[in-house]
Amino acid sequence: MHQKKQRGRCLRRATPTLKPRFFSQISRYKPSDFIIPRLYSSQVRSLILAVLLFFLSVGGVLVTTQVWASTAIVQTQQELLELVKQGKSLYQNRQFESALRVWEQAAAAFAAREDKLNQAMALSNLALTSQQLGRWEQAKKAIATSLNILQTQPKTPERSQILSSTLDIQGQLQLAVGESEAALATWQQAAEIYQNLGNQNGAIKSQINQTQAMQDLGLYPRACKTLLKTLELDHQNCQITKEELQTLKERFVNKGNFSSLNILALRSLGNVLRVVNQLEQSQMVLSTAGQLAQQSGDSQNFAATYLSLGNTARSLGNRKIQLETPRQQTILLTQSLDCIQAASTANATQLYQQATSCYRQAESSTSSDIKIQAQLNRFSLLVQTQQWSEVPILLSEITSNFNDLPISHPTVYAHIKFAQSLMCLQSRLSENSSNALSPILQLCNFVKNTPTSTGVKTLESLKIPSWAEIGEILQTALNQAQQLGNKQAEADARGYLGGVYQQMGKLAEARQLTEQALQQKSAFNDSSITYLWQWQLGRIYQTQQDQKSALKAYTLAYETLQSLRKDLVGINPELQFTFRDSVEPVYRELVNLLLQPLASQQINQTEINQENLKLARDVIEALQLAELTNFFREACVTSQPQPIDQLDPNAAVIYSIILPDRLAVILSRPQKPLKYYATPLKPNSQLGEVGEVERVYNDMFAGFTPIIYSSDLDSLRAQQIFYDWLIRPIEAELEKDDIKTLVFVLDGVLRGVPMSALYDSHKGKYLIEKYNLALSPGLQLLYSPSLSPNKLQTLVGGLAEASQGFSKLPGVEEEVREITKIVPTEVLLNQEFTRSRLKVQINNVPFPIVHLATHGQFSSQAENTFLLTWDGRINVKELDQLLQARDRPGRSPLELLILSACQTATGDNRAVLGLAGVAVRSGARSTLATLWSVEDESTVELMNRFYSKLNQPGVTKAEALRQAQLFLLRSPNYRRPYYWAPFVLVGNWL
């Protein structure tokens, strides 16, 4: 697929899927929904074709290979009619072995009569029934013979009807054996034929099937658009409002529109909405599908919808866990909640309980496929939340049910899924260093706030499959994949099996299996899981003390992730929840390898070659972009930037990255080699303990209040520590090179540290007293010259009155008045400060500066990063739409976005990621914002000084901000860092 470049919005290319960590049921159709009442040349033929077409429209699923049996020949038309009726009845009653024999007889009988069309129909039904039994070679042979026969027949409507239904079955077969791209093409062909026949239901059915293949290929936006069109919602993307979905719900439920097609389309849409992180909308759509299935008595769709509802409730719970205070509660899943219920106000425990209830109800399905998927998802949830007491019974049930599953693509991955959960379970009983662990265990996601000290003892008393027994489960998956001829599934099974051997300490076998997995993966356009096996190989080499090979493997994993940056989150719906465990470590571990000092040197020595330093710098920047991609769930940096060191000869860039044993820093200066220095960090004494950098960070913020302040150096201890870590080792170089501006590319909690407040205890000065300061997401910045005084036309929006639960900002009106005295302004205040008015003003005049004096919040979650207007909120994801007029040819860009009253989310140490997200999403060359909300009076003073300095010729944005902060620092009322330190400039400082 080719990717269209489009500023501000990014499209994903077709990339094979990384198997999701919980399953969703594939498309199924209720047989009675698709009988085609069409008559042909004779009464017998019309009845036979109607029955056969009926079966061609039935969905089916898969398992083992056997030979084509011999058949008896039927003599009379009446016998043929009875034979077809019998095949239909046997199939409906799930007596597939008997049905298969009947279809073999029917195909032979029609062949003997040289009735080609009915022979093709019988063969297609034979292929469908073979799929139910997992006899893939028989199914492939039958469908191929049917299609060959149809190609030789005249192009009549009768033949087209049979061909379209046969293609439906072929697409289902292709999807079942992992040929998703082929399935998509086949269903597109079927839909075109249905359209030409005027068969709208058939066309819709094929379109819904296409979305299943699209999801397998990671094409979620495209799948969403197709489903919205099917449901007659005219939308270009998945940003659907709850009001629109409520209207959709009323259209189906109130009018009693209960067709299985509608239910299936809604369920598919709900699954896609979950993947693109529209979780509340996903829940609404799936609840509607569940109600329709319940009212229509469609038990198959009902069970599958419960499975999907469970997955969405679980995703909602995962999101809540990320935002709730650690150790706030103990999660227990014993309480039963209604599966179909609104959960917008529920906490993580309630959402996990709801997911458990949904999975339990799905487990009652008559479909073995849905049942095992629901059991596996509930089992992995028990492991994730460490509910050990319920594990033994479900473990036994799953093991027993595996014996009833036919060999198929889903069955192979069901074994892999089961093995992965068991690996997580086993990992709780053993303690390994991180590099000794298989990366598979990085995906375990144990809920951090669940007490485990007594839980592990309970776990030890259970009979849990050993590593060797888990290996046997994966060997079964490998054998089945080989029987199916599914090379990709075979590669994945080998990779997981290599992980098991790694845990067992059998490194030679682990390496061999992992290398075989990578070799098989290289034959496919499937890099979505390849990085996992490259990472696994790197860790194996590290354990074997082969640093050179480890570095090579890690570099390949990094390059794979870079190629997937635009698609990674989209192809695996769980990666946003697991990003910090399943993606970030690849970057950090590679930097750690690149910055390893020589064996003869201490950790804080600097003899790292320039090639490694440059790559380490690139990797640090790539991690910054990967975090933003994960933040938005799409790639959003689409402009053409240029390197920092080409912008300003008096600027130095300081890159930091927090590694397990040290804080590593790289200094970049124009026309100078890179310099590396590091500070050893105290190791954590126990798992889950807050690291040293975060401890110092917490100590620092305990002192950032307007009340607690002392001139005693003890109150500045944290700021001194950060200064000694980041600045002290390079003081001499900075002074020698006449550096005026420091640009920080910060990592982790360091992003929330106000660099201006770092304190040099030797000279008794804050860093802001020595340098202009700026923050950047990376080396690549949008070029922008300094703003000249005659280009300071400003659009000011402000909200002074209390609104939507936020307090008054009485200083906003004075702030706005002062700005109007200094620069030309257009003002939108209070009732006039609405989304629509803001957009109109931005469209009409290309203001170089947009200043928003309103409440706002930065969070590590895009959903909770917003700005307040009079009539609502502007979410960070909507900023590019609001400012999209800037993309017009000939329009000047937004040079500076000022957010003067925002704050970071309480208790969220990664909330400054939201500030970086706002800076990137707005498209502004520079963003001036606050790390925490400060008093109105001091903000008015600072903004007044900032605009006054900016209005002077040759003054850069960073210099103007510095002078404004120094004015507060030297004021008796505002000298405390609380008042001036939170203001930060992100992006271009010129």
Side-chain angles (χ1 to χ4, degrees):
M1 299 293 299
H2 295 287
Q3 182 177 335
K4 287 178 68 178
K5 299 246 176 176
Q6 189 175 356
R7 179 175 164 81
R9 186 171 297 129
C10 307
L11 308 176
R12 298 186 181 104
R13 66 181 182 274
T15 308
T17 186
L18 173 61
K19 296 302 160 189
R21 302 194 65 249
F22 47 73
F23 295 139
S24 295
Q25 175 62 15
I26 63 171
S27 297
R28 296 289 187 91
Y29 305 101
K30 199 171 91 176
S32 57
D33 287 336
F34 300 101
I35 296 177
I36 301 174
R38 188 162 183 170
L39 301 179
Y40 294 100
S41 57
S42 70
Q43 187 62 33
V44 171
R45 167 168 281 194
S46 70
L47 182 55
I48 290 173
L49 286 176
V51 172
L52 290 169
L53 282 168
F54 164 87
F55 280 104
L56 286 170
S57 301
V58 174
V61 190
L62 15 126
V63 198
T64 67
T65 49
Q66 292 186 9
V67 297
W68 200 333
S70 59
T71 58
I73 302 299
V74 181
Q75 299 300 318
T76 67
Q77 281 191 342
Q78 187 60 37
E79 286 177 323
L80 272 173
L81 178 59
E82 292 301 321
L83 198 62
V84 171
K85 285 182 178 179
Q86 185 184 5
K88 171 184 174 180
S89 176
L90 290 168
Y91 191 99
Q92 281 182 315
N93 292 315
R94 304 185 65 82
Q95 298 179 37
F96 299 123
E97 287 283 4
S98 299
L100 187 70
R101 289 191 293 270
V102 168
W103 291 121
E104 287 171 339
Q105 292 178 38
F110 286 127
R113 289 172 168 265
E114 296 189 353
D115 185 344
K116 297 296 185 182
L117 287 181
N118 273 323
Q119 181 188 0
M121 296 289 280
L123 287 168
S124 297
N125 281 310
L126 175 62
L128 183 65
T129 309
S130 297
Q131 288 185 55
Q132 292 285 6
L133 294 168
R135 298 177 184 173
W136 305 112
E137 292 306 317
Q138 185 175 6
K140 289 177 182 178
K141 181 177 178 181
I143 204 75
T145 305
S146 174
L147 287 169
N148 287 336
I149 291 171
L150 291 171
Q151 294 304 321
T152 66
Q153 300 304 297
K155 294 183 178 180
T156 62
E158 179 181 283
R159 179 254 190 190
S160 295
Q161 184 66 67
I162 300 167
L163 177 59
S164 59
S165 296
T166 300
L167 289 171
D168 268 346
I169 291 180
Q170 185 186 37
Q172 197 171 46
L173 174 60
Q174 290 165 330
L175 189 72
V177 296
E179 299 172 3
S180 302
E181 290 187 43
L184 177 59
T186 298
W187 279 323
Q188 288 170 335
Q189 186 182 353
E192 185 178 352
I193 297 172
Y194 280 128
Q195 290 283 11
N196 292 336
L197 288 170
N199 184 342
Q200 195 61 29
N201 275 357
I204 291 172
K205 176 188 63 178
S206 289
Q207 287 168 354
I208 295 171
N209 274 339
Q210 288 172 43
T211 66
Q212 298 297 327
M214 291 173 192
Q215 290 176 69
D216 262 12
L217 293 167
L219 301 172
Y220 294 103
R222 184 174 165 190
C224 189
K225 187 175 180 180
T226 301
L227 289 165
L228 291 172
K229 183 179 179 181
T230 298
L231 292 165
E232 299 176 4
L233 273 178
D234 187 19
H235 250 275
Q236 295 303 308
N237 54 50
C238 272
Q239 301 298 316
I240 311 167
T241 66
K242 294 178 183 178
E243 291 73 22
E244 289 172 318
L245 291 178
Q246 184 62 35
T247 302
L248 181 68
K249 177 180 178 179
E250 291 169 358
R251 169 151 57 95
F252 285 112
V253 176
N254 295 349
K255 294 184 179 180
N257 203 344
F258 298 151
S259 79
S260 286
L261 267 182
N262 289 333
I263 297 169
L264 183 60
L266 287 167
R267 178 160 56 82
S268 298
L269 177 61
N271 288 336
V272 173
L273 287 170
R274 179 181 64 252
V275 172
V276 297
N277 212 30
Q278 299 287 307
L279 299 182
E280 287 82 5
Q281 288 88 333
S282 170
Q283 191 172 57
M284 285 182 67
V285 171
L286 291 171
S287 295
T288 301
Q291 290 175 32
L292 292 175
Q294 194 171 35
Q295 292 172 21
S296 64
D298 187 345
S299 58
Q300 187 95 325
N301 253 323
F302 192 48
T305 301
Y306 269 148
L307 178 62
S308 295
L309 273 166
N311 293 341
T312 294
R314 183 173 179 180
S315 291
L316 281 164
N318 289 344
R319 190 172 71 183
K320 287 279 187 181
I321 279 289
Q322 289 179 311
L323 299 177
E324 289 176 355
T325 304
R327 310 184 197 286
Q328 180 178 350
Q329 58 184 329
T330 299
I331 293 177
L332 297 173
L333 303 183
T334 52
Q335 182 180 348
S336 179
L337 294 180
D338 182 15
C339 178
I340 302 179
Q341 68 168 11
S344 58
T345 59
N347 59 34
T349 297
Q350 291 168 327
L351 287 162
Y352 288 146
Q353 288 169 343
Q354 185 184 353
T356 300
S357 296
C358 294
Y359 291 147
R360 285 187 185 278
Q361 288 176 280
E363 287 171 37
S364 64
S365 172
T366 57
S367 164
S368 60
D369 187 39
I370 296 175
K371 182 175 182 177
I372 194 67
Q373 290 178 30
Q375 286 179 322
L376 288 170
N377 288 355
R378 182 160 69 91
F379 184 71
S380 69
L381 180 56
L382 290 176
V383 173
Q384 178 190 342
T385 54
Q386 301 170 74
Q387 308 293 302
W388 309 133
S389 60
E390 295 190 49
V391 164
I393 295 175
L394 187 55
L395 185 64
S396 176
E397 291 175 0
I398 292 172
T399 304
S400 175
N401 289 335
F402 265 131
N403 297 327
D404 300 327
L405 292 177
I407 297 176
S408 68
H409 179 78
T411 300
V412 170
Y413 281 100
H415 279 89
I416 291 175
K417 166 69 179 179
F418 186 39
Q420 181 181 331
S421 293
L422 291 173
M423 290 175 72
C424 293
L425 205 53
Q426 265 292 341
S427 72
R428 301 304 294 168
L429 297 176
S430 57
E431 294 184 5
N432 298 74
S433 64
S434 60
N435 284 342
L437 294 174
S438 164
I440 296 166
L441 299 179
Q442 302 281 146
L443 307 175
C444 290
N445 294 324
F446 294 112
V447 172
K448 302 292 191 301
N449 64 351
T450 302
T452 60
S453 56
T454 57
V456 172
K457 293 180 181 178
T458 304
L459 188 60
E460 288 172 345
S461 66
L462 303 177
K463 184 172 176 57
I464 297 168
S466 64
W467 287 112
E469 289 169 327
I470 297 171
E472 290 173 5
I473 294 169
L474 287 166
Q475 187 63 54
T476 299
L478 177 59
N479 294 341
Q480 291 183 354
Q482 289 172 327
Q483 289 183 54
L484 292 170
N486 188 335
K487 298 296 184 183
Q488 294 197 55
E490 186 180 336
D492 290 338
R494 289 186 192 279
Y496 275 90
L497 192 54
V500 169
Y501 278 113
Q502 183 180 359
Q503 293 306 118
M504 296 170 68
K506 298 182 177 181
L507 297 183
E509 295 91 334
R511 192 177 83 179
Q512 182 181 25
L513 283 162
T514 307
E515 288 173 339
Q516 288 173 347
L518 284 168
Q519 186 176 11
Q520 286 186 295
K521 282 289 183 184
S522 66
F524 302 95
N525 180 28
D526 181 6
S527 52
S528 58
I529 198 173
T530 301
Y531 91 93
L532 199 63
W533 308 139
Q534 291 165 334
W535 182 13
Q536 182 166 284
L537 189 60
R539 282 191 170 181
I540 292 169
Y541 280 129
Q542 272 197 290
T543 307
Q544 294 179 321
Q545 302 298 311
D546 186 348
Q547 298 297 93
K548 184 177 179 180
S549 297
L551 183 58
K552 182 178 179 181
Y554 269 102
T555 303
L556 288 172
Y558 159 70
E559 290 172 351
T560 300
L561 285 174
Q562 286 301 94
S563 71
L564 285 172
R565 183 170 63 85
K566 296 176 183 177
D567 305 298
L568 188 59
V569 179
I571 57 178
N572 184 356
E574 283 302 279
L575 270 187
Q576 188 182 48
F577 181 51
T578 68
F579 182 87
R580 292 183 68 179
D581 296 320
S582 60
V583 177
E584 270 194 42
V586 177
Y587 295 87
R588 297 189 186 281
E589 290 169 25
L590 173 55
V591 171
N592 196 19
L593 277 172
L594 289 166
L595 300 181
Q596 287 289 348
L598 299 176
S600 61
Q601 296 170 334
Q602 298 297 317
I603 196 169
N604 61 349
Q605 293 301 304
T606 59
E607 295 302 317
I608 307 293
N609 69 60
Q610 286 293 305
E611 183 180 349
N612 279 13
L613 284 176
K614 287 177 182 177
L615 181 54
R617 181 186 65 180
D618 292 344
V619 175
I620 292 171
E621 292 194 335
L623 174 57
Q624 299 264 335
L625 289 179
E627 288 179 301
L628 282 173
T629 299
N630 183 62
F631 177 79
F632 287 114
R633 308 211 89 189
E634 58 183 301
C636 296
V637 181
T638 56
S639 303
Q640 294 300 317
Q642 73 179 77
I644 286 174
D645 54 15
Q646 294 178 16
L647 293 179
D648 187 350
N650 297 114
V653 189
I654 296 173
Y655 297 87
S656 68
I657 188 163
I658 303 168
L659 300 174
D661 60 348
R662 64 199 188 280
L663 173 61
V665 184
I666 297 174
L667 173 66
S668 175
R669 294 158 293 171
Q671 312 304 319
K672 292 287 181 71
L674 297 173
K675 177 180 175 62
Y676 165 71
Y677 54 103
T679 302
L681 297 175
K682 297 175 184 176
N684 294 343
S685 58
Q686 58 186 19
L687 188 67
E689 184 184 9
V690 173
E692 186 176 3
V693 175
E694 192 168 343
R695 285 197 296 272
V696 177
Y697 171 88
N698 292 336
D699 290 344
M700 180 185 66
F701 270 90
F704 279 158
T705 71
I707 301 170
I708 302 173
Y709 183 80
S710 169
S711 60
D712 185 77
L713 288 180
D714 285 346
S715 66
L716 298 172
R717 190 178 65 85
Q719 289 103 298
Q720 292 177 52
I721 292 173
F722 280 130
Y723 185 95
D724 291 342
W725 285 352
L726 295 171
I727 307 299
R728 182 79 63 200
I730 54 169
E731 278 181 322
E733 284 93 335
L734 297 177
E735 291 178 11
K736 180 182 176 182
D737 294 335
D738 195 27
I739 296 298
K740 305 296 185 186
T741 302
L742 297 182
V743 184
F744 291 91
V745 180
L746 298 170
D747 182 37
V749 296
L750 290 175
R751 292 194 189 101
V753 175
M755 292 292 119
S756 58
L758 268 55
Y759 191 73
D760 180 359
S761 59
H762 295 184
K763 295 182 179 180
K765 287 186 176 183
Y766 291 102
L767 191 61
I768 193 65
E769 297 180 83
K770 302 165 72 172
Y771 299 101
N772 301 326
L773 303 174
L775 304 178
S776 172
L779 176 72
Q780 303 292 317
L781 276 181
L782 299 173
Y783 173 72
S784 175
S786 298
L787 283 168
S788 59
N790 61 350
K791 292 184 179 180
L792 296 183
Q793 190 173 9
T794 303
L795 173 63
V796 180
L799 192 60
E801 298 182 14
S803 178
Q804 304 171 51
F806 286 84
S807 61
K808 287 183 179 181
L809 291 172
V812 164
E813 293 183 359
E814 184 183 355
E815 181 180 336
V816 172
R817 280 195 302 271
E818 291 298 320
I819 294 171
T820 61
K821 295 176 183 177
I822 303 169
V823 295
T825 57
E826 182 71 33
V827 177
L828 301 174
L829 191 62
N830 292 329
Q831 291 92 333
E832 294 183 342
F833 181 48
T834 63
R835 177 199 298 261
S836 58
R837 287 292 306 277
L838 186 60
K839 188 167 186 176
V840 167
Q841 289 295 330
I842 289 170
N843 285 342
N844 289 343
V845 181
F847 296 97
I849 301 175
V850 173
H851 184 128
L852 304 179
T854 178
H855 279 296
Q857 177 176 278
F858 303 128
S859 166
S860 59
Q861 302 293 306
E863 296 77 15
N864 295 325
T865 299
F866 60 87
L867 304 173
L868 216 61
T869 63
W870 180 262
D871 58 347
R873 297 181 177 187
I874 302 172
N875 183 268
V876 63
K877 287 190 173 184
E878 300 170 310
L879 273 177
D880 63 334
Q881 298 170 26
L882 187 67
L883 301 171
Q884 63 186 351
R886 300 286 178 167
D887 294 338
R888 296 176 187 170
R891 299 292 298 268
S892 59
L894 177 59
E895 293 293 344
L896 178 60
L897 173 65
I898 300 177
L899 308 170
S900 62
C902 293
Q903 63 186 47
T904 51
T906 304
D908 186 350
N909 286 348
R910 292 166 67 92
V912 183
L913 187 63
L915 170 54
V918 169
V920 169
R921 196 71 174 210
S922 68
R925 293 327 198 221
S926 313
T927 300
L928 173 57
T930 52
L931 296 176
W932 60 82
S933 183
V934 296
E935 291 187 3
D936 281 353
E937 293 84 356
S938 60
T939 300
V940 172
E941 292 282 357
L942 184 136
M943 286 299 162
N944 190 350
R945 290 286 165 173
F946 174 75
Y947 277 101
S948 296
K949 292 295 180 182
L950 197 62
N951 205 25
Q952 297 176 5
V955 177
T956 66
K957 300 163 196 164
E959 175 66 18
L961 177 59
R962 175 173 176 251
Q963 292 300 328
Q965 288 176 299
L966 289 176
F967 174 80
L968 292 188
L969 171 61
R970 292 162 183 166
S971 167
N973 294 329
Y974 305 124
R975 61 193 177 93
R976 304 163 194 169
Y978 170 80
Y979 294 105
W980 50 263
F983 293 90
V984 294
L985 185 67
V986 181
N988 195 296
W989 60 92
L990 294 176

